Amino acid sequence: MGNSLEGRVAIVTGGAGGIGSATCRLLGERGARVVVADIDRARAEAVADEVRSSGREAMSVTVDLSSEESITAMFETVVERFGRLDIMDNNAAILTPELAQRDLDIGGMETDVWDICFAVNTRGTMLCCREALKIMERQRSGVIVNTASNLALQGNVIQAAYSASKAAIIQMTRSIATSHGHLGIRANTVLPGLTGSKSALENLPDRLLEIVREETLTPDLGDPMDIAHTVAFLVSDEARYITGQAIAADGGTSIHIPGYARLREFFPSPEDRQP
Ligand SMILES: NC(=O)c1ccc[n+]([C@@H]2O[C@H](COP(=O)([O-])OP(=O)(O)OC[C@H]3O[C@@H](n4cnc5c(N)ncnc54)[C@H](O)[C@@H]3O)[C@@H](O)[C@H]2O)c1
């Protein structure tokens, strides 16, 4: 028992991105053999290179999560190379600035925005879970971490398609945990809050960033490594009794009533209290 992942084979989708690349590096450090899977092969290969340069085994694979064919091909490649799969980290999502600008409220929702969010984020994650489970069922072991968002828990004036596509992932993960727990397979969802990866910060106007900072209970916003550590814990044996959970790593933004953090201005502050 412990946090070692020595020899385990791990696929990280979106492995070329902010959170995904941090996760690849950390899983590699803990001993996993890492498959960096992304639609952007060049960046995925650069991450695999980094993992290899720290003395660990890694490979990159091109995958487009909106294509079932591409997903099944990825699993064939991984099985051919490693013969097994221990960790499936479904981290990729479509997060382009163009999509973010068009993903507003349901009243004005453009159908293609809804469809692409569900095709990549939800259907893509489901297909990766299905293919991973085929291998894990044979092994009678394995662990899945799916990635939602704290936005999957609460209403928002914008990002209606993205947040719905992520909310479905939480329920799908509970289904997997329920149907596959007895086979030694665990599944949990990680819910990042705003995490300082490049794409997340680029998409946000300054004022919005200010509001998020106000609602974050921890002194600092999170960074990709905070999410990587959550994933690394969930896939380790230390978390062997944890399954079906949706775990927010969001500095507490999702556990309080928005705006209420500001009420501290009206009351004595804990640090002003005399011992
Ligand atoms: N960063 C945040 O603030 C934040 C907050 C909440 C949830 N999340 C979630 O965390 C995960 C990672 O986010 P990130 O901030 O690292 O984003 P990112 O944009 O840096 O990384 C996403 C990666 O997914 C890849 N990708 C996009 N479409 C794909 C497709 N069709 N097939 C395969 N790969 C594809 C991209 O190439 C990219 O490398 C996402 O699921 C995101 O929804 C992030």
Side-chain angles (χ1 to χ4, degrees):
M1 262 256 277
N3 69 10
S4 167
L5 303 173
E6 201 57 50
R8 296 188 196 176
V9 177
I11 299 178
V12 180
T13 67
I19 293 172
S21 60
T23 305
C24 289
R25 285 192 289 272
L26 185 61
L27 299 188
E29 266 172 39
R30 301 234 167 130
R33 294 179 278 171
V34 183
V35 180
V36 186
D38 206 285
I39 199 166
D40 185 334
R41 180 64 181 270
R43 284 195 302 128
E45 183 51 26
V47 174
D49 238 1
E50 259 187 87
V51 176
R52 284 192 293 264
S53 68
S54 65
R56 296 295 179 179
E57 203 174 337
M59 71 183 287
S60 63
V61 176
T62 314
V63 67
D64 175 0
L65 288 192
S66 67
S67 155
E68 183 168 2
E69 233 182 3
S70 169
I71 290 172
T72 52
M74 169 179 77
F75 280 90
E76 277 164 24
T77 306
V78 172
V79 169
E80 209 170 283
R81 165 89 179 253
F82 296 109
R84 59 181 297 113
L85 178 66
D86 304 290
I87 295 165
M88 181 72 229
D89 177 25
N90 287 305
N91 160 79
I94 183 153
L95 294 160
T96 59
E98 305 76 55
L99 191 69
Q101 276 161 21
R102 293 174 62 212
D103 182 9
L104 303 172
D105 64 289
I106 295 292
M109 181 60 62
E110 293 170 77
T111 314
D112 67 312
V113 171
W114 183 268
D115 287 346
I116 189 71
C117 282
F118 274 77
V120 176
N121 305 350
T122 317
R123 182 174 178 271
T125 296
M126 182 280 290
L127 290 170
C128 286
C129 286
R130 186 187 74 191
E131 295 307 305
L133 285 170
K134 286 181 188 168
I135 305 167
M136 292 173 177
E137 283 167 7
R138 284 198 297 273
Q139 294 171 180
R140 293 283 197 272
S141 70
V143 52
I144 293 173
V145 174
N146 290 328
T147 309
S149 163
N150 62 353
L151 297 178
L153 299 176
Q154 292 164 318
N156 192 355
V157 290
I158 55 167
Q159 289 185 291
Y162 172 77
S163 57
S165 76
K166 292 294 194 173
I169 289 174
I170 298 175
Q171 184 58 17
M172 173 171 57
T173 309
R174 292 191 190 113
S175 295
I176 296 167
T178 308
S179 57
H180 284 71
H182 68 291
L183 295 175
I185 298 165
R186 296 187 295 109
N188 291 290
T189 313
V190 64
L191 284 66
L194 182 68
T195 302
S197 64
K198 204 163 157 273
S199 67
L201 298 182
E202 269 173 3
N203 288 346
L204 278 190
D206 289 348
R207 176 66 189 125
L208 196 50
L209 192 56
E210 211 177 292
I211 292 170
V212 174
R213 281 189 203 283
E214 276 176 16
E215 299 299 342
T216 303
L217 306 182
T218 50
D220 299 312
L221 291 182
D223 63 35
M225 206 35 107
D226 290 308
I227 310 306
H229 275 112
T230 310
V231 172
F233 166 65
L234 288 172
V235 301
S236 76
D237 293 345
E238 287 178 340
R240 69 184 193 119
Y241 205 38
I242 302 176
T243 196
Q245 302 303 310
I247 301 194
D250 69 345
T253 50
S254 57
I255 58 86
H256 67 101
I257 301 170
Y260 272 39
R262 261 179 258 164
L263 289 183
R264 75 169 81 86
E265 290 165 23
F266 302 101
F267 297 97
S269 184
E271 67 267 25
D272 296 339
R273 215 172 286 130
Q274 294 303 313

